[in-house]
Amino acid sequence: QRRPSHWMDLRSVHNNEVLLYFLRDIAHPLTTCILTLCWQEEAALYRHLAVVLRHCLLTHTESMERTQEFHGHTVNLLVNLPLACLDVLLTPRVEPGSVEYMGLNMDAVAILLDFLDKRLDRGLKLRETLTPVLSLLTESARFHRETRKFLRSRVLPPLRDVRNRPEVGEMLRNKLVRLMTHINTDVKHCAADFLFVLCKENVSRFVKYTGYGNAAGLLAARGLLGGGRGEGEYSEEEDTDTEEYKEAKPNINPVTGRVEEKLPDPMEGMTEEQKEYEAMKLISMFDKLSREQIIQPMVVGCDGKLTPIDETVQQMAERISLHSDSDLE
């Protein structure tokens, strides 16, 4: 017999209160206590808790708002579990109606992704509502290859239309790229880190999906402005480009991440003397702005991070001086 809707709402309220109590009064003290146990007992307890929380993720009420609240508390608990125990989210066998990927049941991961999408659409208290689920998905993708590949297929499908900037649109990728320049530091770092992990921490692939302008913040913080890869360990499989992307690639502006018409050369028709004059004029303007401390010219240092150009010039001068001294000896 079908229960009345008010009974479902009352039950969801009760479940939310139980999860809040568990998170506040049991989960954190339990984490400290369990550290004294042997690994087998600890892992078994955490894995059992993960099974319970997976069931919570698959539970829905007749109220979307209550469901979102319930899933939010579930995410807050999952993010505190050891990553090695989260594989139980994928262990149930695939059944008719399940989300299957690489032979695994991805129902829980798909619900987490849908939960993230709904939180993005709400746009309220992004730091409190987004960072837990983004952190959970990021670390799961970093630790579990199958989870990363599934998330990438949903969030970063092969590029086809590159006429618009990566941050323009209503796809999940567009929403996350917009967060990469958010005013809140935690939000933009979480969003950028999530996409970076989905790109296997490969700088060129990351720039391809987000544009260099959006990616610069994370790359500067990681010392990767000069390219390369992050510290994560991933397989070396190649990225597959669509025919549409291959055709458009020569005309894509890497800074904006979209196809742009080629602008006319501003120096076309100038003599070499005119070009030199304009170059010296530009250098003089930058020098004035620098001396008045309006701007500080920077270059990418040997560590892949931005450093003041004065320090770089000084270091180069010192190296040249050392070489000269050694040659004289």
Side-chain angles (χ1 to χ4, degrees):
Q1 183 180 358
R2 185 179 178 82
R3 300 282 187 178
S5 60
H6 70 273
W7 184 88
M8 293 293 291
D9 285 339
L10 286 173
R11 189 178 67 173
S12 65
V13 170
H14 174 70
N15 289 341
N16 281 328
E17 291 175 350
V18 168
L19 278 179
L20 276 174
Y21 165 74
F22 192 88
L23 179 63
R24 183 184 65 247
D25 298 329
I26 297 179
H28 293 301
L30 183 64
T31 301
T32 305
C33 178
I34 284 179
L35 290 176
T36 62
L37 302 177
C38 66
W39 165 244
Q40 290 82 0
E41 294 176 348
E42 178 184 351
L45 183 56
Y46 275 131
R47 290 172 70 85
H48 181 70
L49 179 56
V51 171
V52 174
L53 293 176
R54 182 185 185 278
H55 178 72
C56 291
L57 279 179
L58 299 179
T59 301
H60 295 267
T61 71
E62 294 188 4
S63 166
M64 178 62 69
E65 184 177 349
R66 290 294 183 189
T67 300
Q68 286 289 298
E69 184 182 357
F70 186 50
H71 287 172
H73 297 323
T74 305
V75 167
N76 290 336
L77 281 170
L78 281 169
V79 79
N80 284 286
L81 297 185
L83 291 172
C85 300
L86 293 182
D87 60 339
V88 299
L89 297 179
L90 314 178
T91 52
R93 67 174 182 272
V94 178
E95 297 179 353
S98 297
V99 179
E100 180 184 358
Y101 188 82
M102 297 179 67
L104 297 174
N105 187 320
M106 291 288 174
D107 285 344
V109 182
I111 288 174
L112 287 172
L113 205 55
D114 182 65
F115 174 79
L116 170 64
D117 200 11
K118 286 184 170 63
R119 287 292 172 97
L120 284 167
D121 290 339
R122 289 179 63 183
L124 300 174
K125 298 181 179 180
L126 293 182
R127 182 178 180 276
E128 293 80 5
T129 59
L130 282 182
T131 52
V133 65
L134 277 173
S135 297
L136 176 61
L137 289 173
T138 300
E139 295 307 317
S140 297
R142 185 179 277 123
F143 196 82
H144 297 108
R145 174 175 175 267
E146 294 81 7
T147 300
R148 175 181 55 78
K149 292 175 73 70
F150 172 74
L151 288 172
R152 186 183 168 198
S153 70
R154 293 293 185 93
V155 180
L156 299 177
L159 290 176
R160 298 184 184 278
D161 185 2
V162 285
R163 292 173 296 180
N164 296 318
R165 291 173 179 263
E167 66 269 25
V168 175
E170 293 305 316
M171 302 294 289
L172 191 50
R173 174 178 74 105
N174 309 132
K175 299 174 186 178
L176 290 169
V177 172
R178 285 199 289 271
L179 289 183
M180 292 171 63
T181 53
H182 194 272
I183 190 172
N184 186 283
T185 304
D186 291 337
V187 171
K188 70 178 182 181
H189 284 174
C190 281
D193 196 31
F194 177 51
L195 294 176
F196 193 47
V197 169
L198 295 190
C199 293
K200 298 200 292 189
E201 301 187 29
N202 181 296
V203 172
S204 60
R205 187 176 300 175
F206 185 52
V207 170
K208 166 185 167 182
Y209 282 99
T210 65
Y212 193 84
N214 293 313
L218 179 139
L219 298 181
R222 302 280 185 95
L224 293 170
L225 286 171
R229 300 189 67 139
E231 297 178 353
E233 296 182 2
Y234 304 93
S235 62
E236 295 296 329
E237 59 191 23
E238 293 292 328
D239 191 22
T240 54
D241 293 332
T242 62
E243 291 300 322
E244 295 90 335
Y245 180 81
K246 289 178 182 178
E247 184 177 347
K249 188 176 181 179
N251 299 317
I252 295 177
N253 182 333
V255 176
T256 60
R258 69 168 181 178
V259 172
E260 294 184 356
E261 295 182 4
K262 292 184 178 179
L263 299 175
D265 185 358
M267 293 189 175
E268 187 177 356
M270 286 187 180
T271 64
E272 292 301 319
E273 291 77 10
Q274 288 174 320
K275 292 179 181 179
E276 185 176 350
Y277 170 77
E278 292 296 333
M280 295 305 299
K281 183 178 176 182
L282 186 62
I283 291 173
S284 177
M285 292 169 62
F286 273 112
D287 181 60
K288 181 180 178 181
L289 291 172
S290 178
R291 282 187 284 103
E292 295 177 358
Q293 296 185 347
I294 297 174
I295 64 171
Q296 184 179 30
M298 309 284 281
V299 295
V300 179
C302 298
D303 59 354
K305 297 183 179 180
L306 290 175
T307 57
I309 194 170
D310 294 339
E311 295 181 9
T312 305
V313 171
Q314 183 179 355
Q315 292 171 2
M316 291 176 64
E318 291 174 355
R319 284 198 293 267
I320 291 172
S321 177
L322 287 173
H323 285 302
S324 300
D325 293 340
S326 62
D327 289 341
L328 290 174
E329 292 175 0

